[in-house]
Amino acid sequence: MQDIPFARPSIGDEEIEAVATVLRSGWLTTGAEALAFEKEFASFIGVRHALAVNSATAGLHLSLEATGVSPGTAVIVPSLTFTATAEVVRYLGAEVVFADILPDRLLLDPEDTARRAAAASKAGRPVAAIVPVHLAGEVCAIEPFREIAREHGAAIIEDAAHAFPSRTSAGYAGTLGTAGVFSFYANKTITTGEGGMVCTGDDALAGRIRTMRTHGIDRDAWDRYRSDLGGWYYQVVAPGFKYNMPDTAAAIGRVQLKRAESFLRRRRDAAEYYRVILTPLEERELITLPRGSTEHAWHLYVVRTSPSIDRDRVIRRLAQAGIGASVHYIPLHRMPYWSGRYGVTDKDLPRTAETADRVISLPMFPALTRSEQDRIAEVLESALREGS
Ligand SMILES: Cc1ncc(COP(=O)(O)O)c(C=O)c1O
């Protein structure tokens, strides 16, 4: 049992009561709660359509499907991400093209993206989508990706799993591309246990996603339940999926959404305090930062150790002291499935490879206390001193 976990959800009586109300209501699947959650979420981030789904993975799959990703096409994805970002491309029979990250950042590099998009298209594989990941909650600058997307007729699907709420002068992360996808997995900035939200301003795209998330049926169960025409009639218009969010989850999401600003304040304070107490440690640097006029959701607090440090040993020392730390991420191109399929090596993605060996994600959650952070800094300092 860890004394200080890596993440801890903030669930209170209001969430518990909201679920109990749904359980007592007799309607447990997607219904009034999910609809209300979608409306409230859309209004919070300022987007025309918000579609609740049962995971971000489902949302990414639906978004790529709706934008025409299909066998014979390519999708550009960073290798420094969770496998969900890339696996959905394979669900659709398309090919993943891994691109490198920016220097000293965790975010997809537009220049490398442009190079790889040109190469894929020259090799006869048109680029159907680019998936920038707002890793840790830091927002990718979207304009350069828009140019590449325009040139190739590709969609931009933002993987905003970490980025609720990350604000930029152009709008919230997740509203900047063709579609954006949020995760409400248990350790995310707001949670429904499992869940996600797809956001888009495109009516046709939203229509396709809405249909495909419930088996390709033209009306969902709630719509049929309320209908004067009787609940039994529907038409199947495509072989869809089963990706809807139940009301039990949506009820938790609605309460969490109301608390999102206060969670963000707590995360921002914790990030600022980490910055202050970790500044004296020479063997690390903060790798994820808010830049320019953007705000950071602080889903993760990621430090990078200097090259002479044995990073894995530092994480072991933290674990021995009862402190949960993690790594975001082991790059996908080092995973057996992905390396077997594409044969990409560290040499092809040098910045990803170098960064992946040096990063540590420290505990970060709204209820993290300053005395817990002091303890983390103490253990980190001694681990870094003896860590090379
Ligand atoms: C970057 C990224 N994308 C996508 C996902 C998938 O999210 P979910 O678990 O909601 O499917 C995750 C989950 O942790 C993630 O970290």
Side-chain angles (χ1 to χ4, degrees):
M1 182 77 180
Q2 286 163 342
D3 299 340
I4 309 177
F6 172 63
R8 183 191 290 140
S10 293
I11 297 292
D13 290 344
E14 209 185 330
E15 283 88 346
I16 294 166
E17 198 39 55
V19 176
T21 303
V22 170
L23 293 176
R24 289 189 197 105
S25 76
W27 187 272
L28 305 190
T29 185
T30 308
E33 287 293 320
L35 214 60
F37 186 30
E38 289 178 341
K39 279 209 181 103
E40 288 156 8
F41 195 90
S43 127
F44 186 106
I45 64 165
V47 76
R48 200 167 153 79
H49 304 281
L51 296 135
V53 285
N54 57 13
S55 70
T57 308
L60 289 164
H61 184 194
L62 289 166
S63 302
L64 292 179
E65 195 275 342
T67 50
V69 172
S70 54
T73 65
V75 176
I76 316 276
V77 169
S79 174
L80 198 75
T81 186
F82 185 56
T83 194
T85 316
E87 76 193 27
V88 292
V89 175
R90 297 293 305 129
Y91 293 0
L92 294 162
E95 299 302 336
V96 171
V97 175
F98 290 122
D100 212 348
I101 51 174
L102 288 161
D104 302 317
R105 308 280 293 277
L106 299 175
L107 307 179
L108 186 62
D109 175 13
E111 277 182 25
D112 197 44
T113 299
R115 264 194 301 277
R116 291 181 199 258
S121 139
K122 202 167 155 208
R125 211 179 277 290
V127 178
I130 302 166
V131 188
V133 178
H134 303 304
L135 213 154
E138 183 180 357
V139 189
C140 301
I142 218 75
E143 197 46 52
F145 292 111
R146 286 201 183 124
E147 262 172 50
I148 305 164
R150 260 194 301 273
E151 191 185 322
H152 289 268
I156 299 176
I157 306 301
E158 299 169 75
D159 183 336
H162 298 184
F164 183 74
S166 297
R167 206 187 332 242
T168 79
S169 52
Y172 278 99
T175 68
L176 309 171
T178 315
V181 182
F182 296 92
S183 172
F184 307 135
Y185 177 70
N187 69 5
K188 296 298 192 286
T189 50
I190 68 169
T191 185
T192 59
E194 299 280 359
M197 192 73 79
V198 183
C199 293
T200 182
D202 183 320
D203 293 349
L205 207 69
R208 176 73 180 177
I209 291 171
R210 189 170 282 118
T211 300
M212 293 303 277
R213 87 177 151 177
T214 41
H215 302 290
I217 290 174
D218 60 350
R219 303 161 69 197
D220 66 23
W222 182 241
D223 187 33
R224 284 186 277 131
Y225 175 73
R226 288 179 306 169
S227 168
D228 294 338
L229 304 170
W232 63 274
Y233 188 78
Y234 61 85
Q235 292 283 285
V236 175
V237 295
F241 314 105
K242 172 67 177 167
Y243 283 164
N244 54 304
M245 175 185 280
D247 270 11
T248 39
I252 304 173
R254 291 183 70 195
V255 178
Q256 291 267 299
L257 183 63
K258 280 197 288 177
R259 301 174 68 194
E261 291 287 0
S262 76
F263 290 160
L264 178 62
R265 274 195 298 278
R266 281 294 309 125
R267 285 178 182 272
R268 202 187 292 134
D269 286 353
E272 176 55 21
Y273 192 60
Y274 266 140
R275 193 188 63 74
V276 170
I277 59 178
L278 299 182
T279 294
L281 308 191
E282 282 173 10
E283 300 294 353
R284 63 89 226 149
E285 63 185 303
L286 177 60
I287 182 87
T288 161
L289 288 168
R291 321 250 163 182
S293 58
T294 74
E295 260 178 42
H296 196 305
W298 293 114
H299 167 50
L300 303 173
Y301 191 91
V302 183
V303 293
R304 187 167 67 169
T305 56
S306 49
S308 61
I309 296 285
D310 178 348
R311 187 273 316 267
D312 296 1
R313 206 175 124 175
V314 173
I315 294 178
R316 274 199 304 278
R317 284 278 295 105
L318 288 165
Q320 282 157 6
I323 296 166
S326 192
V327 170
H328 294 85
Y329 286 94
I330 306 168
L332 295 183
H333 73 271
R334 289 183 185 166
M335 298 288 180
Y337 170 73
W338 295 110
S339 74
R341 180 152 191 98
Y342 297 117
V344 173
T345 68
D346 282 359
K347 279 207 199 74
D348 301 309
L349 299 164
R351 290 182 196 140
T352 299
E354 209 239 334
T355 298
D357 290 335
R358 294 172 51 195
V359 285
I360 304 176
S361 303
L362 298 177
M364 174 55 99
F365 49 89
L368 186 66
T369 65
R370 288 198 167 192
S371 65
E372 287 174 324
Q373 289 186 276
D374 288 336
R375 182 136 164 265
I376 293 162
E378 248 169 60
V379 176
L380 191 60
E381 188 195 2
S382 71
L384 287 172
R385 238 187 296 113
E386 64 194 49
S388 48

